[in-house]
Amino acid sequence: MTLGNLRDLYQQVILEHYKKPRHKGKTKAVHRYQRGHNPSCGDTIELTLQLNDAGDGIEDVKFEGEGCAIAMASADLMADALRGKSVDEALEMVQRFQRMMKGEDEFPKEQRKLNVMQGVSQFPVRIKCANLTWHTLKAAIESPHGGQQNGFITNEKEDA
Ligand code: ZN
């Protein structure tokens, strides 16, 4: 596969998830809620998480939001990959995603769709778009009493 074809493939997956998101909406039970904002592009995202009874596993993740194709597709891909994961695994995935965007790591076979975002890392301004949903997830997990009072988190200070 040539590099051009590979880039087309990335684009195809991103557009597919942008146009037909599978995880848009709100989870039935809302155990975590967090809004995130990426001022450099204007993307906003609202994540809801449904946890298991023990509170250490993710049953469902949904998102609402407005923004560019990369931010929205990244949220949809993330939601897909997180279902059935433990909270610890989810936090590990946040780290791995950031390393992957720097070209230092990759997701294993069963989560390899997340690697399409690596195509975005060639465009530094769009890295924040791809990262936004993961930053928001991290904040959601780390604020057990719900993010309603917290307002938006932003990734403005991130050195992407
Ligand atoms: Zn964006």
Side-chain angles (χ1 to χ4, degrees), residues 68-80:
C68 67
I70 291 166
M72 298 299 113
S74 188
D76 201 49
L77 283 163
M78 182 189 79
D80 215 37

Side-chain angles (χ1 to χ4, degrees), residues 76-143:
D76 201 49
L77 283 163
M78 182 189 79
D80 215 37
L82 284 173
R83 296 176 85 174
K85 294 282 181 295
S86 72
V87 167
D88 288 344
E89 283 170 323
L91 287 172
E92 212 285 313
M93 285 165 72
V94 174
Q95 304 283 327
R96 192 185 278 255
F97 191 85
Q98 279 156 4
R99 288 198 304 272
M100 188 265 287
M101 292 304 279
K102 291 180 193 155
E104 294 167 359
D105 205 349
E106 282 210 336
F107 281 92
K109 212 165 70 189
E110 66 274 13
Q111 296 164 3
R112 68 172 184 272
K113 260 195 156 183
L114 292 170
N115 292 323
V116 302
M117 284 295 157
Q118 210 164 28
V120 172
S121 63
Q122 305 163 39
F123 310 100
V125 282
R126 312 317 291 273
I127 292 175
K128 285 183 177 182
C129 303
N131 275 339
L132 175 65
T133 189
W134 293 92
H135 281 294
T136 309
L137 171 74
K138 189 165 186 273
I141 289 173
E142 289 171 351
S143 56

Side-chain angles (χ1 to χ4, degrees), residues 29-47:
V30 177
H31 298 124
R32 294 288 188 281
Y33 168 83
Q34 183 67 54
R35 289 185 296 173
H37 180 51
N38 172 23
S40 66
C41 176
D43 310 310
T44 60
I45 214 154
E46 271 186 71
L47 281 185

